[in-house]
Amino acid sequence: MKYNAAIFDMDGLLLDTEKVCMTAFQQTCIEMNIPFKRDIYLNIIGRNQAGIKPIIEQGYGDSLDYAVFHPRWMQHYLAVVEHQAIPVKNGVIELLQWLQAQKIPMVVATSTHNALAHKKLHLAGLTQYFSHITSGDEVINGKPAPEIYLLAAQRLNIDPQQCLAFEDSNNGVKAAVAANMTTLQIIDLVEPDTYTRALGHHIFNTMDEALTFLNAV
């Protein structure tokens, strides 16, 4: 392979957490008697906490008090992910083992807070595959800005252009492409929109498809 590192998003890519997070969001909407706006929710996927807040506030306006909503939402979400192993997405283990056999170092670049990211990966049994985690609380500008990917590559001491980046969300893809990484998008909840497709990266429906592609490179 011509690549010297592989950098992975976590939620919705390695772990099937996005459905858990959306369910918690919907539950909070019901409790607070406000509508669930799916388009607003899908737009926050892949962003860190600082990036989520203005989108929700703008999308919901005065109908939602974010200072009340966010803690309740996180309470429902954390009640699951801090105590249960979230299912690993299909094809993930096979891909990680293949990259390991190729002696390609692997790291995580996730918008999730660092401590929670470590816990999720530990519960899922994936910690062994990654040398470190770069998280959303370690950067000023979260995805779709490239900062988190550039920091992950810097920690590896590897040129970003020599890195593979694996993402599910459009926000994450924009970040990885802006960091000049070869980007593979494995679709989860959000279909790539017209702008994202125009970025010219590789798009797959499953992780198995991505592995087949890498085997042919």
Side-chain angles (χ1 to χ4, degrees), residues 30 70-71 90 92 94 110 113 121 139 162 170 172 191 211 215:
I30 292 170
H70 186 263
N90 291 336
V92 165
E94 291 80 1
T110 174
H113 189 280
L121 291 174
V139 297
Q162 295 300 313
N170 293 333
E191 288 283 338
L211 179 54
N215 264 310

Side-chain angles (χ1 to χ4, degrees), residues 30-158:
I30 292 170
E31 290 176 355
M32 296 183 66
N33 196 30
I34 56 178
F36 170 63
K37 298 183 179 182
R38 182 179 175 86
D39 58 332
I40 300 300
Y41 182 83
L42 294 181
N43 194 27
I44 68 173
I45 292 178
R47 298 178 186 266
N48 64 8
Q49 185 170 326
I52 288 171
K53 184 175 185 288
I55 292 174
I56 292 179
E57 288 184 327
Q58 182 178 358
Y60 277 87
D62 294 337
S63 66
L64 183 149
D65 184 345
Y66 189 81
V68 176
F69 182 91
H70 186 263
R72 291 190 185 183
W73 172 29
M74 288 299 101
Q75 182 180 13
H76 292 308
Y77 177 63
L78 295 175
V80 177
V81 300
E82 286 192 332
H83 305 286
Q84 300 177 28
I86 301 301
V88 176
K89 301 275 297 225
N90 291 336
V92 165
I93 298 297
E94 291 80 1
L95 176 61
L96 296 179
Q97 290 178 341
W98 184 82
L99 287 167
Q100 196 173 56
Q102 309 302 311
K103 301 188 185 305
I104 302 295
M106 293 174 280
V107 300
V108 170
T110 174
S111 296
T112 297
H113 189 280
N114 195 272
L116 181 57
H118 277 278
K119 180 169 287 189
K120 287 180 180 178
L121 291 174
H122 173 72
L123 288 172
L126 296 182
T127 307
Q128 61 179 308
Y129 294 103
F130 303 105
S131 59
H132 70 255
I133 297 171
T134 300
S135 53
D137 54 312
E138 296 181 285
V139 297
I140 297 173
N141 301 299
K143 302 174 185 178
E147 185 177 349
I148 193 167
Y149 275 105
L150 294 175
L151 179 58
Q154 179 184 340
R155 288 174 169 173
L156 285 166
N157 196 29
I158 293 175

Side-chain angles (χ1 to χ4, degrees), residues 147-202:
E147 185 177 349
I148 193 167
Y149 275 105
L150 294 175
L151 179 58
Q154 179 184 340
R155 288 174 169 173
L156 285 166
N157 196 29
I158 293 175
D159 188 325
Q161 295 186 42
Q162 295 300 313
C163 295
L164 290 167
F166 295 85
E167 272 286 352
D168 64 290
S169 72
N170 293 333
N171 288 317
V173 165
K174 292 170 187 174
V177 170
N180 292 317
M181 297 184 179
T182 297
T183 305
L184 287 71
Q185 182 175 18
I186 294 85
I187 299 171
D188 184 40
L189 290 183
V190 183
E191 288 283 338
D193 55 26
T194 302
Y195 174 83
T196 305
R197 287 184 181 276
L199 295 174
H201 62 296
H202 305 284

Side-chain angles (χ1 to χ4, degrees), residues 199-211:
L199 295 174
H201 62 296
H202 305 284
I203 303 173
F204 306 98
N205 290 308
T206 68
M207 196 70 84
D208 292 331
E209 290 180 6
L211 179 54

